[in-house]
Each structure stands twice: as structure tokens, then as C-alpha cells.
Amino acid sequence: MNSDPYLSTDPFPRAYGTLPTLPARLRYILRRSLPPPRPRRRWRLIGGVIAAAVGGVLLLTWTQSKPVTIIVDGNAHPARTRAETVGDMLRELSIAVTPTDRVTPGLAAPVTANMIVRVERARAVALTVDGTLRSVWTPDTNPAAILSAAGVMVDSGDRVIVDGTHSRLEDLSRWPVPVAAIQVRHTVSLQVDDDGALRTIQTSADTIGEALFEAGITLYLADRVTPPLHARIPTDSSALLIRICRAIPLTMTVDGRQFQARARALPNATVADALADAGIALIGLDMVIPNEATPITPGMDIRVIRVREETHIEQRFVPFAIRYQPTSALLIGERLRRVEGEPGVQALRWRIRYEDDAVTARTLEAVTLLRPPIDRLILYGTGVARSALELIND
């Protein structure tokens, strides 16, 4: 290979091409006079071309897309799309929807410019109908729409409880907040045998007691109800018969107070049963008129007499006696109180009987002498006065 630069047959880079018709020196001079190649400018040019192409594609895409607004659970999101239907648009924008979600307009609706698409997410609502609980997924928020979508019909007599609040039928469609639980109890017919009088009542209550109360049927404590008041009313109540066995009205006088009472209509019921129903106990010597074994009849007057006996101790003075004793030391007609005398003391034990706080009997049980009396002693004279002559002779 020739090392002389002037004799080089191709001294220029391939980027500048070759000039085979020029002499070697002239090619050398041209090579020295031309600027060196700049690779960076080439890449900038390529990048610019690519950017322009991408920008053109984006511009074409932008001009062909449509502006839309998507509202998901009340939050608005503006976007642009080239999708043809609402469903394709949601998939394009990665907005997932479930079959229970509500999309307005529908998924098959065509996309138009400035369209507003609403997506309402479904949520679980606890729905209890006549005691049966189920979970309902729905995008609705007010009870009327939820019940309608679930196929549950309600009437004015039905009981509807929304989130623990008893609600009227006209309030269901304008419920102010989203609900979480709805209870529906449909109205049923019940047959009531009220001590032989048969009647029909309509109720949406859960228990027998609530149904009778809503129907305005007054019950007394001693009345017997079958089934019991706490029993739940079945959904199929066609075979249910409520029997009310009324208590027997009575008049009672106890502790000075007269009042009206009722006793259970039990077979062979007695006065003792009536007292037990009224919560009245006989204590100790208490008496009842008529006696406890007497069968009760409507309108009977029963009187309870409270009886008690008490012991009372009474102290009494025992009068002293007066004794007279003769003495010759005193002249006839003279008296001298030798002992003054002092009364004694005795204790009397009485048993006193009270009936309704009135004393009906007093019985003396014992007498005890606590201190005997001291008799009064009076001396009286028996002596005779002596003459002066007898005194001299002596």
C-alpha cells in the first residue's frame, strides 16, 4: 500500500464520497479544506423526523377522537375517545363495570361528542321480607327504587323499617340518604276468639302481643292468650286462631283500700286463686271473707282482714290495808299512826287482738306481784285516866 498521502487513491471518508477523476493532490487539498463530519446532527435530524411523524399521528388521533365526560359515583372525569360505543369507551379508559352497576346511557349506546356517561356502582343492601334475609346488590339509594328492583311490593298497611326507622309508604321514594338495610313485613289476617266473640284483624306486627295492641284489644294481667303474647306470627297465618280467655272481674278490699281486680278463669277457681292472681298474701292470722275455699263468681266482693295479736304489760298499784291495834298506853279516844303504809305494785300481761288495726279482744294472761303492799298501822287507846287520890296512895 502506498504511504504517500498525496498518492492515496481514496483519502476521503465514505461520508463525503470519492472523486476518482481528480488528481491525488487536489483530492488531498479538498479533504483538508472540507469540515469534518458531524454525526450528532444526523441523529437530531432523524429524531426530528420521528417526532414529527408521532406528532402527526397524535394530531390525527386527536382530531378524530371525541370529548366525553364520565361521572363515576358522582366524580366527573373528562376524557377523549375514538371508541364507537359506551362499553368500548369504558374498556378503553380501563373503567371496569359489573352486571349490577348502572351505566347511563347503556353500554351499547354510540359515543357522541360532549357525551356525559354516568356510572353508578352497585352496593349490598340487607333486605328482609317476612323474616327472610337476603343481600341485594343495587346502584339505587332510596328504599322505593330498591324494593321495586327487587320485586318486593308494599302496601299502605305493610310495615317497612329502613335502617331501624319505621317509615311511611310515601317517604320511601324521597329517602334523603343511601340505605343499608330494609325490613318489610306484609299485612296478614288473623282470627281472634275474644272470650267467645270471633273477629278478624289485619296486622303487620311480628308477635301476637303487638298485633292485639295495634288492634286496640285491651288485655288484663290475668287474661289467658293462646298462643302466648311473645309468639311470632307466621307468614301463612290462615290456620292461626288466637284465643283470649277473659279473667273474672272481682272487687277486693285489702288494707283499707277497695279496688277492682281480675282472676284467671281457671277450672274450679277459688278465692285463694283470686288472691294469688292479685298478688295478695295472707300472713299469720289474716282472714278472708268469704273463706279461701269458696269458688269465685263474677262480681264477687272479697275482703281481706289483717289480723295481729300483741302482748301488753300493764303495771298497777296494789292498795295497802289499814289495821287498827289497841294499846293501853293511849287513853280511850286517842289514836296514833304507827306505820304510814305503802301501796304495792303488780304487773298484768294482756293479749290484745287487732283486726285491720281495730282492737277486737283483750285477754288477761297473767298477774305478777312485783312488790307487796305495806299495811298502815293505827294504834288506838284503851287506857283510863286515874284520879289524884289514887296517885297519892300509890
mmCIF file of all heavy atoms in Angstrom, residues 111-149:
data_model
loop_
_atom_site.group_PDB
_atom_site.id
_atom_site.type_symbol
_atom_site.label_atom_id
_atom_site.label_comp_id
_atom_site.label_asym_id
_atom_site.label_seq_id
_atom_site.Cartn_x
_atom_site.Cartn_y
_atom_site.Cartn_z
ATOM 1 N N VAL A 111 -71.101 6.477 20.967
ATOM 2 C CA VAL A 111 -70.421 7.607 21.615
ATOM 3 C C VAL A 111 -70.538 8.823 20.704
ATOM 4 O O VAL A 111 -70.249 8.756 19.500
ATOM 5 C CB VAL A 111 -68.954 7.273 21.889
ATOM 6 C CG1 VAL A 111 -68.236 8.480 22.488
ATOM 7 C CG2 VAL A 111 -68.861 6.083 22.842
ATOM 8 N N THR A 112 -70.951 9.942 21.282
ATOM 9 C CA THR A 112 -71.045 11.210 20.556
ATOM 10 C C THR A 112 -70.205 12.248 21.272
ATOM 11 O O THR A 112 -69.828 12.081 22.444
ATOM 12 C CB THR A 112 -72.499 11.682 20.477
ATOM 13 O OG1 THR A 112 -73.007 11.848 21.812
ATOM 14 C CG2 THR A 112 -73.368 10.663 19.725
ATOM 15 N N ALA A 113 -69.889 13.318 20.541
ATOM 16 C CA ALA A 113 -69.073 14.377 21.118
ATOM 17 C C ALA A 113 -69.804 15.029 22.281
ATOM 18 O O ALA A 113 -71.022 15.230 22.241
ATOM 19 C CB ALA A 113 -68.728 15.423 20.039
ATOM 20 N N ASN A 114 -69.021 15.364 23.326
ATOM 21 C CA ASN A 114 -69.534 16.028 24.535
ATOM 22 C C ASN A 114 -70.572 15.171 25.271
ATOM 23 O O ASN A 114 -71.401 15.707 26.016
ATOM 24 C CB ASN A 114 -70.124 17.396 24.198
ATOM 25 C CG ASN A 114 -69.094 18.322 23.578
ATOM 26 O OD1 ASN A 114 -67.956 18.395 24.035
ATOM 27 N ND2 ASN A 114 -69.485 19.027 22.521
ATOM 28 N N MET A 115 -70.511 13.867 25.083
ATOM 29 C CA MET A 115 -71.432 12.974 25.783
ATOM 30 C C MET A 115 -71.078 12.909 27.271
ATOM 31 O O MET A 115 -69.916 12.997 27.655
ATOM 32 C CB MET A 115 -71.370 11.576 25.163
ATOM 33 C CG MET A 115 -72.109 10.507 25.966
ATOM 34 S SD MET A 115 -71.898 8.862 25.274
ATOM 35 C CE MET A 115 -73.172 8.898 24.019
ATOM 36 N N ILE A 116 -72.117 12.751 28.111
ATOM 37 C CA ILE A 116 -71.941 12.558 29.555
ATOM 38 C C ILE A 116 -72.392 11.141 29.879
ATOM 39 O O ILE A 116 -73.540 10.765 29.637
ATOM 40 C CB ILE A 116 -72.737 13.578 30.368
ATOM 41 C CG1 ILE A 116 -72.233 15.012 30.074
ATOM 42 C CG2 ILE A 116 -72.640 13.279 31.862
ATOM 43 C CD1 ILE A 116 -73.019 16.084 30.796
ATOM 44 N N VAL A 117 -71.474 10.357 30.394
ATOM 45 C CA VAL A 117 -71.753 8.963 30.748
ATOM 46 C C VAL A 117 -71.687 8.844 32.267
ATOM 47 O O VAL A 117 -70.696 9.241 32.888
ATOM 48 C CB VAL A 117 -70.749 8.004 30.085
ATOM 49 C CG1 VAL A 117 -71.037 6.563 30.502
ATOM 50 C CG2 VAL A 117 -70.811 8.145 28.566
ATOM 51 N N ARG A 118 -72.749 8.275 32.865
ATOM 52 C CA ARG A 118 -72.799 8.103 34.318
ATOM 53 C C ARG A 118 -72.653 6.626 34.663
ATOM 54 O O ARG A 118 -73.345 5.776 34.097
ATOM 55 C CB ARG A 118 -74.114 8.631 34.888
ATOM 56 C CG ARG A 118 -74.333 10.118 34.643
ATOM 57 C CD ARG A 118 -75.655 10.584 35.235
ATOM 58 N NE ARG A 118 -75.887 11.988 34.948
ATOM 59 C CZ ARG A 118 -75.429 13.001 35.698
ATOM 60 N NH1 ARG A 118 -74.722 12.715 36.787
ATOM 61 N NH2 ARG A 118 -75.684 14.240 35.374
ATOM 62 N N VAL A 119 -71.757 6.362 35.603
ATOM 63 C CA VAL A 119 -71.536 5.005 36.102
ATOM 64 C C VAL A 119 -71.869 5.005 37.590
ATOM 65 O O VAL A 119 -71.222 5.703 38.377
ATOM 66 C CB VAL A 119 -70.088 4.535 35.871
ATOM 67 C CG1 VAL A 119 -69.893 3.138 36.453
ATOM 68 C CG2 VAL A 119 -69.752 4.557 34.389
ATOM 69 N N GLU A 120 -72.903 4.246 37.972
ATOM 70 C CA GLU A 120 -73.317 4.150 39.378
ATOM 71 C C GLU A 120 -72.980 2.747 39.862
ATOM 72 O O GLU A 120 -73.541 1.759 39.377
ATOM 73 C CB GLU A 120 -74.812 4.426 39.520
ATOM 74 C CG GLU A 120 -75.204 5.827 39.074
ATOM 75 C CD GLU A 120 -76.705 6.019 39.063
ATOM 76 O OE1 GLU A 120 -77.261 6.353 40.136
ATOM 77 O OE2 GLU A 120 -77.311 5.823 37.993
ATOM 78 N N ARG A 121 -72.064 2.664 40.816
ATOM 79 C CA ARG A 121 -71.607 1.385 41.331
ATOM 80 C C ARG A 121 -72.691 0.742 42.195
ATOM 81 O O ARG A 121 -73.363 1.409 42.982
ATOM 82 C CB ARG A 121 -70.346 1.565 42.171
ATOM 83 C CG ARG A 121 -69.165 2.161 41.406
ATOM 84 C CD ARG A 121 -68.648 1.223 40.373
ATOM 85 N NE ARG A 121 -67.388 1.692 39.790
ATOM 86 C CZ ARG A 121 -66.822 1.151 38.745
ATOM 87 N NH1 ARG A 121 -67.399 0.102 38.156
ATOM 88 N NH2 ARG A 121 -65.686 1.623 38.275
ATOM 89 N N ALA A 122 -72.851 -0.550 42.063
ATOM 90 C CA ALA A 122 -73.799 -1.287 42.903
ATOM 91 C C ALA A 122 -73.183 -1.526 44.280
ATOM 92 O O ALA A 122 -71.972 -1.632 44.422
ATOM 93 C CB ALA A 122 -74.171 -2.611 42.240
ATOM 94 N N ARG A 123 -74.064 -1.598 45.302
ATOM 95 C CA ARG A 123 -73.612 -1.878 46.661
ATOM 96 C C ARG A 123 -74.615 -2.839 47.294
ATOM 97 O O ARG A 123 -75.745 -2.993 46.818
ATOM 98 C CB ARG A 123 -73.520 -0.596 47.495
ATOM 99 C CG ARG A 123 -74.790 0.176 47.518
ATOM 100 C CD ARG A 123 -74.620 1.582 48.063
ATOM 101 N NE ARG A 123 -75.899 2.259 48.093
ATOM 102 C CZ ARG A 123 -76.804 2.103 49.037
ATOM 103 N NH1 ARG A 123 -76.541 1.293 50.056
ATOM 104 N NH2 ARG A 123 -77.949 2.730 49.003
ATOM 105 N N ALA A 124 -74.194 -3.486 48.353
ATOM 106 C CA ALA A 124 -75.029 -4.511 49.004
ATOM 107 C C ALA A 124 -75.999 -3.860 49.980
ATOM 108 O O ALA A 124 -75.619 -3.008 50.782
ATOM 109 C CB ALA A 124 -74.154 -5.527 49.732
ATOM 110 N N VAL A 125 -77.273 -4.263 49.904
ATOM 111 C CA VAL A 125 -78.316 -3.813 50.827
ATOM 112 C C VAL A 125 -78.950 -5.055 51.443
ATOM 113 O O VAL A 125 -79.329 -5.997 50.726
ATOM 114 C CB VAL A 125 -79.375 -2.963 50.100
ATOM 115 C CG1 VAL A 125 -80.501 -2.590 51.053
ATOM 116 C CG2 VAL A 125 -78.747 -1.703 49.517
ATOM 117 N N ALA A 126 -79.050 -5.085 52.785
ATOM 118 C CA ALA A 126 -79.669 -6.208 53.503
ATOM 119 C C ALA A 126 -81.188 -6.047 53.435
ATOM 120 O O ALA A 126 -81.740 -5.095 53.985
ATOM 121 C CB ALA A 126 -79.199 -6.254 54.947
ATOM 122 N N LEU A 127 -81.859 -6.967 52.762
ATOM 123 C CA LEU A 127 -83.299 -6.903 52.564
ATOM 124 C C LEU A 127 -83.951 -8.092 53.265
ATOM 125 O O LEU A 127 -83.671 -9.245 52.941
ATOM 126 C CB LEU A 127 -83.634 -6.914 51.069
ATOM 127 C CG LEU A 127 -85.115 -6.864 50.689
ATOM 128 C CD1 LEU A 127 -85.763 -5.600 51.234
ATOM 129 C CD2 LEU A 127 -85.283 -6.952 49.181
ATOM 130 N N THR A 128 -84.817 -7.796 54.253
ATOM 131 C CA THR A 128 -85.545 -8.825 54.993
ATOM 132 C C THR A 128 -87.025 -8.692 54.670
ATOM 133 O O THR A 128 -87.633 -7.662 54.951
ATOM 134 C CB THR A 128 -85.321 -8.678 56.507
ATOM 135 O OG1 THR A 128 -83.915 -8.700 56.786
ATOM 136 C CG2 THR A 128 -86.005 -9.806 57.267
ATOM 137 N N VAL A 129 -87.594 -9.738 54.071
ATOM 138 C CA VAL A 129 -89.009 -9.733 53.682
ATOM 139 C C VAL A 129 -89.697 -10.875 54.411
ATOM 140 O O VAL A 129 -89.362 -12.055 54.189
ATOM 141 C CB VAL A 129 -89.164 -9.871 52.154
ATOM 142 C CG1 VAL A 129 -90.641 -9.866 51.780
ATOM 143 C CG2 VAL A 129 -88.434 -8.744 51.436
ATOM 144 N N ASP A 130 -90.628 -10.509 55.320
ATOM 145 C CA ASP A 130 -91.391 -11.505 56.090
ATOM 146 C C ASP A 130 -90.475 -12.499 56.793
ATOM 147 O O ASP A 130 -90.712 -13.717 56.794
ATOM 148 C CB ASP A 130 -92.378 -12.232 55.188
ATOM 149 C CG ASP A 130 -93.444 -11.297 54.635
ATOM 150 O OD1 ASP A 130 -93.777 -10.325 55.315
ATOM 151 O OD2 ASP A 130 -93.926 -11.534 53.512
ATOM 152 N N GLY A 131 -89.387 -11.991 57.354
ATOM 153 C CA GLY A 131 -88.477 -12.812 58.134
ATOM 154 C C GLY A 131 -87.374 -13.472 57.346
ATOM 155 O O GLY A 131 -86.484 -14.077 57.937
ATOM 156 N N THR A 132 -87.373 -13.371 56.017
ATOM 157 C CA THR A 132 -86.338 -13.980 55.189
ATOM 158 C C THR A 132 -85.323 -12.917 54.775
ATOM 159 O O THR A 132 -85.689 -11.913 54.155
ATOM 160 C CB THR A 132 -86.941 -14.639 53.940
ATOM 161 O OG1 THR A 132 -87.908 -15.610 54.348
ATOM 162 C CG2 THR A 132 -85.871 -15.310 53.112
ATOM 163 N N LEU A 133 -84.057 -13.144 55.100
ATOM 164 C CA LEU A 133 -82.998 -12.175 54.826
ATOM 165 C C LEU A 133 -82.247 -12.570 53.558
ATOM 166 O O LEU A 133 -81.909 -13.726 53.350
ATOM 167 C CB LEU A 133 -82.028 -12.104 56.014
ATOM 168 C CG LEU A 133 -80.775 -11.246 55.832
ATOM 169 C CD1 LEU A 133 -81.142 -9.783 55.650
ATOM 170 C CD2 LEU A 133 -79.832 -11.408 57.010
ATOM 171 N N ARG A 134 -81.985 -11.572 52.729
ATOM 172 C CA ARG A 134 -81.145 -11.771 51.549
ATOM 173 C C ARG A 134 -80.383 -10.487 51.273
ATOM 174 O O ARG A 134 -80.797 -9.398 51.702
ATOM 175 C CB ARG A 134 -81.971 -12.178 50.325
ATOM 176 C CG ARG A 134 -83.044 -11.168 49.925
ATOM 177 C CD ARG A 134 -83.752 -11.609 48.681
ATOM 178 N NE ARG A 134 -84.926 -10.812 48.398
ATOM 179 C CZ ARG A 134 -85.297 -10.462 47.180
ATOM 180 N NH1 ARG A 134 -84.561 -10.833 46.141
ATOM 181 N NH2 ARG A 134 -86.395 -9.755 46.989
ATOM 182 N N SER A 135 -79.275 -10.637 50.537
ATOM 183 C CA SER A 135 -78.443 -9.491 50.180
ATOM 184 C C SER A 135 -78.723 -9.114 48.729
ATOM 185 O O SER A 135 -78.673 -9.956 47.839
ATOM 186 C CB SER A 135 -76.961 -9.825 50.381
ATOM 187 O OG SER A 135 -76.160 -8.698 50.083
ATOM 188 N N VAL A 136 -79.003 -7.825 48.510
ATOM 189 C CA VAL A 136 -79.343 -7.315 47.184
ATOM 190 C C VAL A 136 -78.266 -6.327 46.757
ATOM 191 O O VAL A 136 -77.963 -5.374 47.496
ATOM 192 C CB VAL A 136 -80.732 -6.633 47.191
ATOM 193 C CG1 VAL A 136 -81.037 -6.037 45.822
ATOM 194 C CG2 VAL A 136 -81.800 -7.630 47.600
ATOM 195 N N TRP A 137 -77.687 -6.554 45.574
ATOM 196 C CA TRP A 137 -76.718 -5.617 45.013
ATOM 197 C C TRP A 137 -77.451 -4.677 44.074
ATOM 198 O O TRP A 137 -78.064 -5.115 43.099
ATOM 199 C CB TRP A 137 -75.611 -6.366 44.263
ATOM 200 C CG TRP A 137 -74.631 -7.005 45.188
ATOM 201 C CD1 TRP A 137 -74.712 -8.228 45.756
ATOM 202 C CD2 TRP A 137 -73.429 -6.421 45.678
ATOM 203 N NE1 TRP A 137 -73.649 -8.479 46.584
ATOM 204 C CE2 TRP A 137 -72.818 -7.370 46.547
ATOM 205 C CE3 TRP A 137 -72.781 -5.200 45.472
ATOM 206 C CZ2 TRP A 137 -71.624 -7.135 47.202
ATOM 207 C CZ3 TRP A 137 -71.586 -4.962 46.119
ATOM 208 C CH2 TRP A 137 -71.014 -5.916 46.976
ATOM 209 N N THR A 138 -77.386 -3.389 44.350
ATOM 210 C CA THR A 138 -78.146 -2.417 43.576
ATOM 211 C C THR A 138 -77.438 -1.068 43.591
ATOM 212 O O THR A 138 -76.826 -0.699 44.596
ATOM 213 C CB THR A 138 -79.568 -2.258 44.146
ATOM 214 O OG1 THR A 138 -80.252 -1.203 43.446
ATOM 215 C CG2 THR A 138 -79.529 -1.913 45.628
ATOM 216 N N PRO A 139 -77.527 -0.314 42.489
ATOM 217 C CA PRO A 139 -76.988 1.055 42.493
ATOM 218 C C PRO A 139 -77.977 2.078 43.046
ATOM 219 O O PRO A 139 -77.622 3.245 43.212
ATOM 220 C CB PRO A 139 -76.709 1.314 41.003
ATOM 221 C CG PRO A 139 -77.710 0.466 40.289
ATOM 222 C CD PRO A 139 -77.922 -0.745 41.144
ATOM 223 N N ASP A 140 -79.211 1.669 43.310
ATOM 224 C CA ASP A 140 -80.224 2.592 43.831
ATOM 225 C C ASP A 140 -79.904 2.958 45.272
ATOM 226 O O ASP A 140 -79.295 2.176 46.013
ATOM 227 C CB ASP A 140 -81.615 1.970 43.738
ATOM 228 C CG ASP A 140 -82.040 1.730 42.301
ATOM 229 O OD1 ASP A 140 -81.869 2.651 41.488
ATOM 230 O OD2 ASP A 140 -82.516 0.621 42.001
ATOM 231 N N THR A 141 -80.369 4.144 45.678
ATOM 232 C CA THR A 141 -80.091 4.632 47.032
ATOM 233 C C THR A 141 -81.344 4.792 47.871
ATOM 234 O O THR A 141 -81.258 4.749 49.093
ATOM 235 C CB THR A 141 -79.362 5.986 46.979
ATOM 236 O OG1 THR A 141 -80.165 6.936 46.261
ATOM 237 C CG2 THR A 141 -78.003 5.853 46.297
ATOM 238 N N ASN A 142 -82.513 4.997 47.257
ATOM 239 C CA ASN A 142 -83.717 5.192 48.065
ATOM 240 C C ASN A 142 -84.488 3.885 48.161
ATOM 241 O O ASN A 142 -84.447 3.037 47.256
ATOM 242 C CB ASN A 142 -84.600 6.321 47.513
ATOM 243 C CG ASN A 142 -85.273 5.939 46.201
ATOM 244 O OD1 ASN A 142 -86.266 5.235 46.187
ATOM 245 N ND2 ASN A 142 -84.711 6.414 45.093
ATOM 246 N N PRO A 143 -85.214 3.657 49.262
ATOM 247 C CA PRO A 143 -85.874 2.368 49.505
ATOM 248 C C PRO A 143 -86.899 2.004 48.442
ATOM 249 O O PRO A 143 -87.041 0.825 48.101
ATOM 250 C CB PRO A 143 -86.519 2.557 50.880
ATOM 251 C CG PRO A 143 -85.766 3.685 51.513
ATOM 252 C CD PRO A 143 -85.353 4.579 50.394
ATOM 253 N N ALA A 144 -87.640 2.990 47.905
ATOM 254 C CA ALA A 144 -88.678 2.671 46.929
ATOM 255 C C ALA A 144 -88.078 2.028 45.686
ATOM 256 O O ALA A 144 -88.586 1.016 45.182
ATOM 257 C CB ALA A 144 -89.451 3.942 46.565
ATOM 258 N N ALA A 145 -86.978 2.597 45.179
ATOM 259 C CA ALA A 145 -86.338 2.039 43.986
ATOM 260 C C ALA A 145 -85.732 0.668 44.276
ATOM 261 O O ALA A 145 -85.780 -0.240 43.438
ATOM 262 C CB ALA A 145 -85.274 3.003 43.474
ATOM 263 N N ILE A 146 -85.161 0.490 45.454
ATOM 264 C CA ILE A 146 -84.550 -0.808 45.802
ATOM 265 C C ILE A 146 -85.608 -1.896 45.880
ATOM 266 O O ILE A 146 -85.436 -2.995 45.342
ATOM 267 C CB ILE A 146 -83.772 -0.681 47.124
ATOM 268 C CG1 ILE A 146 -82.594 0.286 46.964
ATOM 269 C CG2 ILE A 146 -83.287 -2.045 47.600
ATOM 270 C CD1 ILE A 146 -81.876 0.582 48.255
ATOM 271 N N LEU A 147 -86.735 -1.584 46.546
ATOM 272 C CA LEU A 147 -87.807 -2.579 46.657
ATOM 273 C C LEU A 147 -88.396 -2.898 45.285
ATOM 274 O O LEU A 147 -88.701 -4.058 44.985
ATOM 275 C CB LEU A 147 -88.889 -2.062 47.604
ATOM 276 C CG LEU A 147 -88.478 -1.928 49.079
ATOM 277 C CD1 LEU A 147 -89.590 -1.286 49.883
ATOM 278 C CD2 LEU A 147 -88.122 -3.283 49.668
ATOM 279 N N SER A 148 -88.564 -1.881 44.441
ATOM 280 C CA SER A 148 -89.106 -2.113 43.104
ATOM 281 C C SER A 148 -88.178 -2.988 42.270
ATOM 282 O O SER A 148 -88.620 -3.913 41.587
ATOM 283 C CB SER A 148 -89.357 -0.772 42.409
ATOM 284 O OG SER A 148 -89.827 -0.963 41.102
ATOM 285 N N ALA A 149 -86.867 -2.703 42.320
ATOM 286 C CA ALA A 149 -85.908 -3.510 41.561
ATOM 287 C C ALA A 149 -85.842 -4.938 42.077
ATOM 288 O O ALA A 149 -85.592 -5.875 41.307
ATOM 289 C CB ALA A 149 -84.530 -2.863 41.621
#
